Amino acid sequence: QVQLVESGGGLVQAGGSLRLSCAASGKIFNINSMGWYRQAPGKQRELVASITSGGSTNYVDSVKGRFTISRDNAKNTVYLQMNSLKSEDTAVYYCRFIGDGRLYWGQGTQVTVSS
C-alpha cells in the first residue's frame, strides 16, 4: 500500500525559511497532480499550492511570491520551499497526490512560525 511520507516541518522564526518534502513510499505510475494543504487550529484545511504533471502551478494568494512548489517525477516527490514565513503560516501541512485513479494524503507535518 502506497503511503505519502512528509518531512521538513519544524519551528522557525518569522522571516525564516523551511523546505517541506513529500515522497511516496511505493510506485504511483501516473500522478496527475501533487499539492500541499494546510490546516491551522480552528480553521478549515486549505489548498496552499499545487502542481500538475505538466508543471503548471497554482498558489493561494497569501503565499504567492513566498512559497514555491516543485516536483521530481522520477522520485514521486513534491517539495514546498517556504520563504519569508509569517506567524499566520503556522499550521499542519499535508501533501496530497492524485494518481492511478486514487487520492493519497500524507500524515501531516507541523510548521510553527514564531513572531
Side-chain angles (χ1 to χ4, degrees), residues 21-72:
S21 300
C22 174
S25 62
K27 182 63 178 177
I28 304 174
F29 293 94
N30 295 295
I31 300 177
N32 298 315
S33 175
M34 296 176 169
W36 288 95
Y37 287 70
R38 66 186 179 187
Q39 188 166 19
K43 295 188 177 181
Q44 290 189 332
R45 190 174 297 188
E46 66 169 352
L47 174 65
V48 176
S50 63
I51 184 167
T52 67
S53 57
S56 296
T57 58
N58 181 55
Y59 298 91
V60 67
D61 285 346
S62 60
V63 308
K64 286 180 179 177
R66 301 188 297 121
F67 291 10
T68 302
I69 189 170
S70 60
R71 62 190 282 171
D72 185 331

Side-chain angles (χ1 to χ4, degrees), residues 95-111:
C95 60
R96 189 191 80 170
F97 288 8
I98 301 174
D100 292 346
R102 293 188 58 183
L103 187 63
Y104 301 87
W105 284 97
Q107 80 285 357
T109 186
Q110 177 70 45
V111 171

